Short mmCIF file of all heavy atoms in Angstrom, two decimals:
data_model
loop_
_atom_site.label_atom_id
_atom_site.label_comp_id
_atom_site.label_asym_id
_atom_site.label_seq_id
_atom_site.Cartn_x
_atom_site.Cartn_y
_atom_site.Cartn_z
N PHE I 1301 23.68 20.44 57.28
CA PHE I 1301 23.40 19.02 57.20
C PHE I 1301 22.46 18.77 56.02
O PHE I 1301 21.50 19.52 55.81
CB PHE I 1301 22.73 18.52 58.49
CG PHE I 1301 23.56 18.76 59.72
CD1 PHE I 1301 23.35 19.89 60.49
CD2 PHE I 1301 24.55 17.86 60.10
CE1 PHE I 1301 24.11 20.12 61.63
CE2 PHE I 1301 25.32 18.09 61.23
CZ PHE I 1301 25.10 19.22 62.00
N VAL I 1302 22.73 17.71 55.26
CA VAL I 1302 21.90 17.38 54.10
C VAL I 1302 21.49 15.91 54.15
O VAL I 1302 22.26 15.06 54.59
CB VAL I 1302 22.63 17.67 52.77
CG1 VAL I 1302 22.92 19.16 52.62
CG2 VAL I 1302 23.90 16.85 52.63
N GLY I 1303 20.27 15.65 53.72
CA GLY I 1303 19.81 14.29 53.53
C GLY I 1303 19.80 13.97 52.05
O GLY I 1303 19.34 14.78 51.24
N THR I 1304 20.31 12.81 51.66
CA THR I 1304 20.56 12.53 50.25
C THR I 1304 19.86 11.27 49.76
O THR I 1304 19.47 10.39 50.54
CB THR I 1304 22.06 12.37 49.98
OG1 THR I 1304 22.48 11.02 50.24
CG2 THR I 1304 22.89 13.32 50.81
N SER I 1305 19.72 11.21 48.43
CA SER I 1305 19.22 10.00 47.78
C SER I 1305 20.32 8.96 47.60
O SER I 1305 20.06 7.86 47.12
CB SER I 1305 18.62 10.35 46.42
OG SER I 1305 19.62 10.85 45.55
N GLY I 1306 21.54 9.32 47.98
CA GLY I 1306 22.67 8.40 47.89
C GLY I 1306 22.88 7.61 49.16
O GLY I 1306 23.99 7.13 49.41
N ASN I 1307 21.80 7.48 49.96
CA ASN I 1307 21.86 6.68 51.19
C ASN I 1307 22.89 7.21 52.19
O ASN I 1307 23.59 6.44 52.84
CB ASN I 1307 22.15 5.21 50.88
CG ASN I 1307 21.06 4.58 50.02
OD1 ASN I 1307 20.05 5.21 49.72
ND2 ASN I 1307 21.27 3.34 49.63
N HIS I 1308 22.93 8.54 52.31
CA HIS I 1308 23.83 9.17 53.26
C HIS I 1308 23.18 10.40 53.87
O HIS I 1308 22.32 11.04 53.26
CB HIS I 1308 25.13 9.61 52.59
CG HIS I 1308 26.15 8.53 52.45
ND1 HIS I 1308 26.09 7.57 51.45
CD2 HIS I 1308 27.27 8.24 53.17
CE1 HIS I 1308 27.12 6.75 51.57
NE2 HIS I 1308 27.85 7.12 52.59
N LEU I 1309 23.64 10.74 55.04
CA LEU I 1309 23.40 12.03 55.66
C LEU I 1309 24.75 12.73 55.70
O LEU I 1309 25.72 12.20 56.24
CB LEU I 1309 22.85 11.84 57.07
CG LEU I 1309 22.33 13.06 57.82
CD1 LEU I 1309 21.37 12.62 58.91
CD2 LEU I 1309 23.46 13.87 58.44
N GLY I 1310 24.85 13.90 55.07
CA GLY I 1310 26.12 14.59 54.97
C GLY I 1310 26.16 15.85 55.82
O GLY I 1310 25.12 16.40 56.18
N ALA I 1311 27.36 16.31 56.17
CA ALA I 1311 27.53 17.52 56.96
C ALA I 1311 28.72 18.30 56.42
O ALA I 1311 29.76 17.74 56.11
CB ALA I 1311 27.74 17.16 58.43
N PHE I 1312 28.54 19.64 56.33
CA PHE I 1312 29.56 20.52 55.76
C PHE I 1312 29.69 21.77 56.61
O PHE I 1312 28.69 22.36 57.03
CB PHE I 1312 29.19 20.95 54.34
CG PHE I 1312 28.93 19.81 53.40
CD1 PHE I 1312 27.66 19.27 53.27
CD2 PHE I 1312 29.96 19.28 52.63
CE1 PHE I 1312 27.41 18.22 52.40
CE2 PHE I 1312 29.71 18.23 51.75
CZ PHE I 1312 28.44 17.70 51.65
N TYR I 1313 30.91 22.22 56.84
CA TYR I 1313 31.11 23.51 57.48
C TYR I 1313 30.54 24.61 56.58
O TYR I 1313 30.67 24.55 55.35
CB TYR I 1313 32.59 23.76 57.72
CG TYR I 1313 33.22 22.86 58.76
CD1 TYR I 1313 34.35 22.10 58.45
CD2 TYR I 1313 32.68 22.77 60.03
CE1 TYR I 1313 34.92 21.28 59.41
CE2 TYR I 1313 33.25 21.96 60.99
CZ TYR I 1313 34.37 21.21 60.67
OH TYR I 1313 34.93 20.40 61.62
N ILE I 1314 29.92 25.62 57.19
CA ILE I 1314 29.40 26.73 56.38
C ILE I 1314 30.41 27.85 56.25
O ILE I 1314 30.09 28.95 55.80
CB ILE I 1314 28.08 27.26 56.95
CG1 ILE I 1314 28.25 27.85 58.34
CG2 ILE I 1314 27.02 26.16 56.97
CD1 ILE I 1314 27.03 28.61 58.84
N SER I 1315 31.66 27.58 56.63
CA SER I 1315 32.74 28.52 56.39
C SER I 1315 32.95 28.67 54.89
O SER I 1315 32.42 27.91 54.09
CB SER I 1315 34.03 28.03 57.05
OG SER I 1315 34.40 26.78 56.50
N ALA I 1316 33.79 29.62 54.51
CA ALA I 1316 33.99 29.90 53.08
C ALA I 1316 34.47 28.68 52.31
O ALA I 1316 34.13 28.47 51.15
CB ALA I 1316 34.98 31.05 52.92
N ALA I 1317 35.29 27.83 52.98
CA ALA I 1317 35.84 26.67 52.28
C ALA I 1317 34.77 25.60 52.03
O ALA I 1317 34.86 24.84 51.07
CB ALA I 1317 36.98 26.07 53.08
N GLY I 1318 33.79 25.51 52.90
CA GLY I 1318 32.74 24.51 52.73
C GLY I 1318 33.25 23.08 52.87
O GLY I 1318 32.73 22.16 52.25
N SER I 1319 34.25 22.87 53.72
CA SER I 1319 34.84 21.55 53.84
C SER I 1319 33.85 20.53 54.37
O SER I 1319 33.03 20.85 55.23
CB SER I 1319 36.05 21.60 54.78
OG SER I 1319 36.99 22.55 54.35
N PRO I 1320 33.92 19.28 53.90
CA PRO I 1320 33.08 18.24 54.50
C PRO I 1320 33.45 18.03 55.96
O PRO I 1320 34.61 18.11 56.34
CB PRO I 1320 33.42 17.00 53.66
CG PRO I 1320 34.03 17.53 52.40
CD PRO I 1320 34.72 18.79 52.77
N PHE I 1321 32.44 17.77 56.77
CA PHE I 1321 32.66 17.49 58.19
C PHE I 1321 32.56 16.00 58.43
O PHE I 1321 33.47 15.36 58.91
CB PHE I 1321 31.64 18.29 59.00
CG PHE I 1321 31.66 18.00 60.48
CD1 PHE I 1321 32.84 17.78 61.15
CD2 PHE I 1321 30.49 17.98 61.19
CE1 PHE I 1321 32.86 17.52 62.51
CE2 PHE I 1321 30.48 17.73 62.55
CZ PHE I 1321 31.67 17.50 63.21
N HIS I 1322 31.41 15.41 58.10
CA HIS I 1322 31.31 13.96 58.16
C HIS I 1322 30.11 13.51 57.32
O HIS I 1322 29.31 14.32 56.85
CB HIS I 1322 31.20 13.44 59.59
CG HIS I 1322 30.00 13.95 60.36
ND1 HIS I 1322 28.69 13.70 59.99
CD2 HIS I 1322 29.93 14.67 61.51
CE1 HIS I 1322 27.88 14.26 60.87
NE2 HIS I 1322 28.59 14.86 61.79
N ALA I 1323 30.03 12.23 57.08
CA ALA I 1323 28.89 11.64 56.39
C ALA I 1323 28.53 10.34 57.10
O ALA I 1323 29.40 9.61 57.56
CB ALA I 1323 29.21 11.36 54.92
N VAL I 1324 27.24 10.08 57.22
CA VAL I 1324 26.75 8.89 57.90
C VAL I 1324 25.98 8.05 56.89
O VAL I 1324 25.06 8.55 56.22
CB VAL I 1324 25.84 9.25 59.09
CG1 VAL I 1324 25.32 7.99 59.77
CG2 VAL I 1324 26.59 10.13 60.08
N ALA I 1325 26.34 6.79 56.76
CA ALA I 1325 25.72 5.92 55.77
C ALA I 1325 24.39 5.36 56.28
O ALA I 1325 24.23 5.08 57.47
CB ALA I 1325 26.66 4.77 55.42
N ALA I 1326 23.45 5.20 55.36
CA ALA I 1326 22.17 4.54 55.63
C ALA I 1326 21.93 3.54 54.52
O ALA I 1326 22.72 3.44 53.57
CB ALA I 1326 21.04 5.57 55.70
N ASN I 1327 20.84 2.78 54.60
CA ASN I 1327 20.53 1.85 53.51
C ASN I 1327 19.29 2.29 52.73
O ASN I 1327 18.64 1.49 52.08
CB ASN I 1327 20.36 0.42 54.03
CG ASN I 1327 19.11 0.25 54.87
OD1 ASN I 1327 18.52 1.22 55.33
ND2 ASN I 1327 18.71 -1.00 55.10
N GLY I 1328 19.00 3.59 52.80
CA GLY I 1328 17.90 4.19 52.05
C GLY I 1328 18.02 5.69 52.11
O GLY I 1328 18.88 6.25 52.82
N ASP I 1329 17.15 6.39 51.39
CA ASP I 1329 17.22 7.85 51.32
C ASP I 1329 16.97 8.50 52.68
O ASP I 1329 16.14 8.04 53.46
CB ASP I 1329 16.18 8.39 50.35
CG ASP I 1329 16.53 8.08 48.89
OD1 ASP I 1329 17.49 7.34 48.65
OD2 ASP I 1329 15.82 8.59 48.01
N VAL I 1330 17.68 9.60 52.93
CA VAL I 1330 17.40 10.49 54.06
C VAL I 1330 16.68 11.70 53.49
O VAL I 1330 17.27 12.46 52.71
CB VAL I 1330 18.69 10.90 54.80
CG1 VAL I 1330 18.37 11.84 55.95
CG2 VAL I 1330 19.42 9.66 55.29
N GLN I 1331 15.41 11.92 53.86
CA GLN I 1331 14.54 12.85 53.14
C GLN I 1331 14.12 14.07 53.94
O GLN I 1331 13.66 15.06 53.35
CB GLN I 1331 13.28 12.10 52.68
CG GLN I 1331 13.60 10.97 51.73
CD GLN I 1331 12.49 9.95 51.55
OE1 GLN I 1331 12.57 9.09 50.69
NE2 GLN I 1331 11.44 10.02 52.36
N ALA I 1332 14.22 14.03 55.27
CA ALA I 1332 13.77 15.14 56.10
C ALA I 1332 14.68 15.27 57.31
O ALA I 1332 15.11 14.26 57.89
CB ALA I 1332 12.33 14.91 56.55
N LEU I 1333 14.96 16.53 57.70
CA LEU I 1333 15.87 16.80 58.80
C LEU I 1333 15.30 17.86 59.72
O LEU I 1333 14.56 18.74 59.29
CB LEU I 1333 17.22 17.30 58.28
CG LEU I 1333 17.99 16.38 57.32
CD1 LEU I 1333 19.20 17.12 56.76
CD2 LEU I 1333 18.43 15.10 58.02
N ALA I 1334 15.66 17.79 61.00
CA ALA I 1334 15.35 18.84 61.97
C ALA I 1334 16.40 18.79 63.06
O ALA I 1334 16.98 17.73 63.33
CB ALA I 1334 13.96 18.64 62.56
N VAL I 1335 16.67 19.94 63.70
CA VAL I 1335 17.65 19.99 64.77
C VAL I 1335 17.03 20.62 66.01
O VAL I 1335 16.20 21.52 65.92
CB VAL I 1335 18.92 20.77 64.38
CG1 VAL I 1335 19.71 20.04 63.33
CG2 VAL I 1335 18.57 22.17 63.90
N SER I 1336 17.43 20.12 67.17
CA SER I 1336 16.99 20.68 68.44
C SER I 1336 17.95 20.24 69.53
O SER I 1336 18.23 19.04 69.67
CB SER I 1336 15.57 20.21 68.78
OG SER I 1336 15.13 20.76 70.02
N GLY I 1337 18.49 21.20 70.27
CA GLY I 1337 19.35 20.89 71.40
C GLY I 1337 20.60 20.12 71.05
O GLY I 1337 21.04 19.27 71.84
N GLY I 1338 21.18 20.37 69.91
CA GLY I 1338 22.39 19.67 69.51
C GLY I 1338 22.16 18.28 68.96
O GLY I 1338 23.11 17.54 68.70
N VAL I 1339 20.89 17.90 68.77
CA VAL I 1339 20.55 16.60 68.22
C VAL I 1339 19.95 16.80 66.84
O VAL I 1339 19.12 17.67 66.62
CB VAL I 1339 19.55 15.85 69.12
CG1 VAL I 1339 19.20 14.49 68.54
CG2 VAL I 1339 20.13 15.69 70.52
N LEU I 1340 20.41 15.99 65.91
CA LEU I 1340 19.91 16.01 64.54
C LEU I 1340 18.95 14.85 64.35
O LEU I 1340 19.31 13.69 64.59
CB LEU I 1340 21.08 15.88 63.55
CG LEU I 1340 20.74 15.80 62.07
CD1 LEU I 1340 20.14 17.10 61.57
CD2 LEU I 1340 21.99 15.46 61.26
N TYR I 1341 17.72 15.14 63.92
CA TYR I 1341 16.71 14.12 63.65
C TYR I 1341 16.60 13.92 62.16
O TYR I 1341 16.47 14.89 61.40
CB TYR I 1341 15.38 14.52 64.28
CG TYR I 1341 15.47 14.60 65.79
CD1 TYR I 1341 15.80 15.80 66.40
CD2 TYR I 1341 15.28 13.47 66.57
CE1 TYR I 1341 15.95 15.87 67.79
CE2 TYR I 1341 15.43 13.54 67.95
CZ TYR I 1341 15.76 14.74 68.55
OH TYR I 1341 15.91 14.80 69.91
N ALA I 1342 16.70 12.67 61.73
CA ALA I 1342 16.72 12.32 60.32
C ALA I 1342 15.59 11.35 60.01
O ALA I 1342 15.45 10.32 60.69
CB ALA I 1342 18.06 11.70 59.94
#
């Protein structure tokens, strides 16, 4: 999972292909991330 300056939170499989999984739009930068119990905090 990545937080971007392009007003998105992105997700990519870590398999060899690195395919995109999904992206979530925001109206500002996503700058910090943490995960716990299957929940992603942005």
Side-chain angles (χ1 to χ4, degrees):
F1301 302 95
V1302 297
T1304 85
S1305 64
N1307 298 355
H1308 277 79
L1309 189 158
F1312 304 89
Y1313 292 125
I1314 63 170
S1315 61
S1319 304
F1321 175 37
H1322 60 62
V1324 179
N1327 69 344
D1329 289 7
V1330 179
Q1331 298 163 171
L1333 302 172
V1335 292
S1336 180
V1339 180
L1340 176 66
Y1341 296 91

